[in-house]
Amino acid sequence: MSPIGTATQPLRVAIVGAGPAGFYAAERLFKETELVIEVDMFDRLPTPYGLVRNGVAPDHQKIKSVTAVFDRVAGNPRFRFLGNIELGRDVTVDDLKEYYHEILFSTGAQTDRPLGIPGDDLAGSYPATEFVAWYNGHPDYRECEFDLSQERVAVVGVGNVAVDVARILCRTREELMKTDIADYALEALSNSQVKEVYILGRRGPAQAAFTAPEVKELGELADCDTFVLPEEAELDSLSLAAMANADRADVRKVEIIQELSHRQPSGKSKRLILRFLVSPTELIGDEHGHVRQMKLVHNELYATEAGSLRPRATDRTETLDVGMVFRSIGYRGVPLPGVPFHESWGVIPNNGGRVIDITTKEPLLGEYTAGWIKRGPTGVIGTNKPDAAETVENMLEDARAGRTLEPSHPTAEAVTSMLDERQCRPVSFDDWKRLDEFELNRGKAEGRPRVKFTRIEDMLAALRS
Amino acid sequence: MKVRNILATKKGHLITIDAEQPVRKAIAMLVDNRIGALLVMDSTGKLAGILSERDIMRTAATDEALFDRPVTDIMTREVVVGMPQDDVIAVAHTMLEKRFRHLPIMDEGQLIGIISIGDVLKIQRDAYRGEVDTLETRIIAKGEE
Ligand SMILES: Cc1cc2nc3c(=O)[nH]c(=O)nc-3n(C[C@H](O)[C@H](O)[C@H](O)COP(=O)(O)OP(=O)(O)OC[C@H]3O[C@@H](n4cnc5c(N)ncnc54)[C@H](O)[C@@H]3O)c2cc1C
Ligand SMILES: NC(=O)c1ccc[n+]([C@@H]2O[C@H](COP(=O)([O-])OP(=O)(O)OC[C@H]3O[C@@H](n4cnc5c(N)ncnc54)[C@H](OP(=O)(O)O)[C@@H]3O)[C@@H](O)[C@H]2O)c1
């Protein structure tokens, strides 16, 4: 066998999942100078960028410019994007092993964590994941329906996703018009009856997972007054003590929350109320099985042995009238067929990105992981860069040591014919750039940054035109 | 960020030693596995303590016969234990303040892993790096928000 990683036999790598983790991994692989490396990047959607396209809020356009970094990676002649090809549907892990020396799974976290309380499944109770994917025009979620005729809404969880959901619900049509929100969502939200939105945190202001700029923005909405209850903005003694060690960003976050607790209503048409130290215990429905109320218990904090402050229920309870509930308590990875999976954490078990067997803990030859499916659904886009770099270091170390798969058809052409035989028509990066151009032009016509295609058929039809 | 995000990218292979084993064996295990602490188990398989490089150094300074003594004699008995849902930032402060470098993690009564101060530092460093990177992108980007 000829050495791998040379011009005659490049190291062939499959990356499954074209989100930030996949792109940062490819970027790092191409920085390697000693080995010749070819990357095929698969995604189940015809469009690349993962949550940068389908998660990041439409009113946060600037952050999406990170795609320019990803486009540079895609411009490498040894890179191919194979969009609209799903692992598990179109190809299996065993298939990939016939074509690649190394396989990297960077499929992100596709689903939500349930609340696990009675009434969670009532009509009008939705996972934030679906709402986010819907307003961003993810083809799998465009048909979702949200009952925006309700006036009062609760969003459970105080992470940045909860903030996104609440903010989108409270934006005006004029504000949303300037974004690339899916056009059906723009229409639905323009006719929304939502007047009051609660964001519910189970711990105090100091433990809120959202970041300072995000909560500050909630206080600057065009037609929505944002409040915090003064008694809930105060820090308890344990939190106060912990603040002595807090970094600047957390201090600022608490200051912003306390500032919001001094606000007076200014007569705007919507209200956003940030609540702390409360946990939902039950959703109560009406005779049609539609959520009408949420039972809350007030919490107090206690310190664990290792020093974190956790919520503990008190005997104080409260009932909130709400007609719609979004649970935003974190994303969750889904298992990939043929790949080990850690059920309780929703990740692929790994050691520094090397996929390991769940029982023996031994690494599986040629299989790697990066991003949210590796470490869990946490961190901003950039966090996936060091994460992917760690994995790629291990991939390179293994490749140099000859610890790779031994594919029978290690060429790009062989992959093309395999997909051809299965009548899979991958969307290339050039195809995507054409779609991108179409979307930008459609946006220009409407004075918006872009108007997205939200159906796979429409994307494919546009490419044929 | 929670402790489980650290554990997710570690092998999760628990390296333990029986409390009655000699320190000599413990040192060999530390060296072979390139780690800084061992979990010490009692005869019923429960966590009895933790044996760190520091425990060994502290004893070695005064006791030359240390190699043949049982681990139980020199280990740290009062072990602070963490949970997967602990906040990394809080754990970091506790480890710094109480001056220990290894934290065994229990989940529903089961010992599931151990994290070191190095692991805590690494995940925080990567989070900061990521935030800086993302902030830069946002600042450099043209156009309005
Ligand atoms: C609602 C929301 C808003 C966010 N906003 C911000 C923000 O403003 N700023 C910020 O810095 N970070 C933000 N983040 C965080 C950021 O999006 C993530 O850190 C990042 O996207 C994770 O990258 P990833 O590559 O691991 O996963 P993803 O981005 O989810 O990418 C995974 C990719 O894998 C593909 N895939 C999945 N399964 C398969 C399969 N079987 N076969 C083929 N392909 C598959 C998916 O289609 C997807 O394209 C946000 C996250 C969310 C959820
Ligand atoms: N603008 C941005 O930069 C941006 C936007 C969106 C997302 N992101 C990033 O994407 C990542 C994911 O965001 P996320 O909001 O999904 O997750 P997250 O930051 O982990 O927040 C999850 C929230 O849900 C709460 N929670 C969990 N279980 C709960 C329960 N059973 N009951 C009540 N509350 C519960 C958590 O509280 P506890 O802390 O008490 O567990 C926490 O407040 C984050 O790193 C985030 O910063 C960034």
Side-chain angles (χ1 to χ4, degrees):
Chain A
M1 201 179 62
S2 62
I4 293 159
T6 59
T8 37
Q9 183 50 70
L11 176 74
R12 297 208 18 91
V13 177
I15 295 182
V16 184
F23 274 103
Y24 285 127
E27 182 184 43
R28 178 67 195 81
L29 281 165
F30 288 140
K31 285 210 172 111
E32 167 65 28
T33 47
E34 278 169 32
L35 296 173
V36 179
I37 301 177
E38 290 180 355
V39 172
D40 279 354
M41 183 182 281
F42 295 85
D43 203 285
R44 55 188 296 276
L45 294 178
T47 52
Y49 316 139
L51 285 169
V52 178
R53 180 177 166 100
N54 293 312
V56 172
D59 55 343
H60 283 175
Q61 284 299 313
K62 269 193 177 180
I63 194 67
K64 294 185 188 244
S65 62
V66 68
T67 56
V69 175
F70 304 154
D71 289 356
R72 270 202 299 281
V73 176
N76 189 305
R78 297 189 198 278
F79 176 95
R80 286 199 306 183
F81 176 62
L82 301 167
N84 207 19
I85 306 286
E86 178 171 336
L87 180 72
R89 181 189 63 192
D90 305 305
V91 290
T92 65
V93 176
D94 283 339
D95 293 334
L96 294 180
K97 287 181 178 169
E98 295 300 321
Y99 299 88
Y100 299 95
H101 299 101
E102 294 186 329
I103 308 166
L104 171 79
F105 306 106
S106 50
T107 47
Q110 314 284 310
T111 184
D112 70 302
R113 288 180 49 219
L115 271 174
I117 58 170
D120 212 0
D121 52 357
L122 286 172
S125 160
Y126 312 103
T129 50
E130 285 181 10
F131 186 60
V132 164
W134 172 79
Y135 66 60
N136 275 316
H138 189 302
D140 292 358
Y141 297 89
R142 70 176 317 286
E143 309 302 338
C144 289
E145 281 177 22
F146 300 94
D147 182 9
L148 294 162
S149 68
Q150 300 299 325
E151 293 194 356
R152 293 159 60 92
V153 186
V155 182
V156 184
V158 283
N160 280 332
V161 172
V163 171
D164 278 354
V165 166
R167 196 181 65 248
I168 294 295
L169 286 168
C170 293
R171 288 268 190 217
T172 61
R173 180 179 173 84
E174 290 64 41
E175 286 174 301
L176 293 174
M177 284 280 286
K178 289 187 264 175
T179 75
D180 68 353
I181 191 165
D183 41 13
Y184 54 79
L186 176 61
E187 281 323 303
L189 287 163
S190 300
N191 297 316
S192 144
Q193 299 303 307
V194 171
K195 300 239 158 14
E196 200 158 84
V197 177
Y198 292 87
I199 305 185
L200 308 174
R202 62 173 163 180
R203 299 191 284 167
Q207 294 82 33
F210 53 59
T211 41
E214 276 61 35
V215 64
K216 180 162 180 286
E217 193 180 5
L218 290 183
E220 299 164 350
L221 298 172
D223 194 24
C224 177
D225 281 322
T226 300
F227 307 97
V228 176
L229 306 185
E231 63 274 24
E232 289 177 0
E234 283 311 311
L235 298 190
D236 64 297
S237 56
L238 289 173
S239 301
L240 268 177
M243 286 311 278
N245 291 322
D247 59 30
R248 180 83 203 100
D250 283 336
V251 173
R252 186 75 195 108
K253 181 176 72 191
V254 171
E255 282 171 5
I256 295 166
I257 292 169
Q258 294 185 336
E259 191 263 315
L260 290 172
S261 76
H262 303 305
R263 292 243 180 133
Q264 299 301 321
S266 72
K268 293 182 175 176
S269 36
K270 289 182 184 160
R271 284 156 51 92
L272 180 58
I273 300 113
L274 270 163
R275 298 283 312 265
F276 294 100
L277 289 163
V278 287
S279 288
T281 52
E282 186 180 353
L283 302 184
I284 302 166
D286 59 16
E287 63 278 18
H288 309 296
H290 194 290
V291 66
R292 282 288 156 245
Q293 287 184 317
M294 174 186 266
K295 271 197 187 162
L296 291 175
V297 63
H298 288 244
N299 297 326
E300 60 186 10
L301 298 177
Y302 72 96
T304 66
E305 238 182 280
S308 47
L309 302 184
R310 305 282 312 158
R312 181 161 55 202
T314 65
D315 49 17
R316 242 182 96 200
T317 58
E318 178 184 338
T319 307
L320 209 60
D321 292 329
V322 286
M324 189 159 46
V325 174
F326 291 101
R327 48 180 183 277
S328 180
I329 61 169
Y331 278 59
R332 192 184 145 78
V334 296
L336 292 170
V339 183
F341 191 65
H342 191 303
E343 269 302 329
S344 54
W345 298 344
V347 298
I348 297 176
N350 71 90
N351 185 16
R354 287 186 176 106
V355 178
I356 57 177
D357 182 279
I358 199 117
T359 32
T360 66
K361 318 268 188 202
E362 288 306 316
L364 300 184
L365 188 70
E367 296 183 42
Y368 305 86
T369 181
W372 277 18
I373 194 67
K374 169 189 174 190
R375 67 177 187 279
T378 172
V380 292
I381 296 165
T383 317
N384 300 293
K385 193 173 177 173
D387 174 306
E390 176 192 52
T391 301
V392 171
E393 295 305 333
N394 288 328
M395 294 171 77
L396 294 171
E397 184 181 308
D398 290 347
R400 285 192 208 99
R403 286 190 301 266
T404 68
L405 296 164
E406 291 175 17
S408 43
H409 315 287
T411 67
E413 299 70 44
V415 176
T416 309
S417 355
M418 179 263 291
L419 292 174
D420 238 20
E421 267 163 36
R422 297 181 184 192
Q423 295 179 345
C424 296
R425 300 264 171 281
V427 171
S428 69
F429 208 78
D430 284 342
D431 290 339
W432 152 246
K433 286 317 265 180
R434 279 173 57 212
L435 283 178
D436 185 35
E437 196 63 36
F438 282 134
E439 290 189 345
L440 293 172
N441 284 333
R442 296 187 339 163
K444 234 175 247 158
E446 294 185 23
R448 298 174 53 194
R450 92 169 46 236
V451 174
K452 287 181 179 176
F453 290 105
T454 59
R455 285 194 183 87
I456 292 179
E457 312 89 85
D458 294 351
M459 298 181 195
L460 301 181
L463 286 175
R464 282 191 299 268
S465 70
Chain B
M1 233 162 24
K2 311 275 180 179
V3 163
R4 70 165 166 270
N5 300 120
I6 298 181
L7 291 175
T9 69
K10 287 171 64 87
K11 203 168 171 186
H13 179 54
L14 290 172
I15 302 177
T16 61
I17 188 164
D18 196 275
E20 296 310 321
Q21 291 288 326
V23 171
R24 181 188 316 284
K25 169 136 189 243
I27 295 176
M29 285 175 73
L30 289 170
V31 173
D32 288 349
N33 292 290
R34 291 193 285 167
I35 51 174
L38 291 172
L39 296 168
V40 185
M41 313 305 271
D42 67 14
S43 55
T44 69
K46 281 223 306 276
L47 184 67
I50 191 163
L51 181 76
S52 68
E53 290 167 325
R54 259 194 209 169
D55 294 325
I56 296 172
M57 285 296 278
R58 193 176 347 101
T59 319
T62 55
D63 180 0
E64 307 229 337
L66 139 109
F67 289 96
D68 294 316
R69 290 178 56 185
V71 164
T72 184
D73 281 7
I74 73 162
M75 69 183 186
T76 299
R77 285 168 194 281
E78 264 142 49
V79 189
V80 177
V81 173
M83 310 186 291
Q85 61 269 35
D86 274 319
D87 297 314
V88 170
I89 180 98
V91 166
H93 288 306
T94 306
M95 290 176 95
L96 280 176
E97 251 154 48
K98 300 201 171 151
R99 301 178 56 79
F100 61 88
R101 303 183 202 171
H102 297 89
L103 181 70
I105 308 297
M106 304 259 264
D107 192 19
E108 290 166 5
Q110 281 287 93
L111 194 56
I112 59 163
I114 181 165
I115 62 170
S116 71
I117 191 82
D119 296 327
V120 171
L121 212 71
K122 173 167 167 283
I123 199 166
Q124 286 192 302
R125 177 200 65 187
D126 288 355
Y128 287 133
R129 277 190 184 163
E131 277 160 28
V132 169
D133 208 275
T134 296
L135 262 176
E136 270 176 11
T137 312
R138 201 160 165 167
I139 292 166
I140 295 168
K142 291 193 267 308
E144 59 174 312
E145 191 101 309

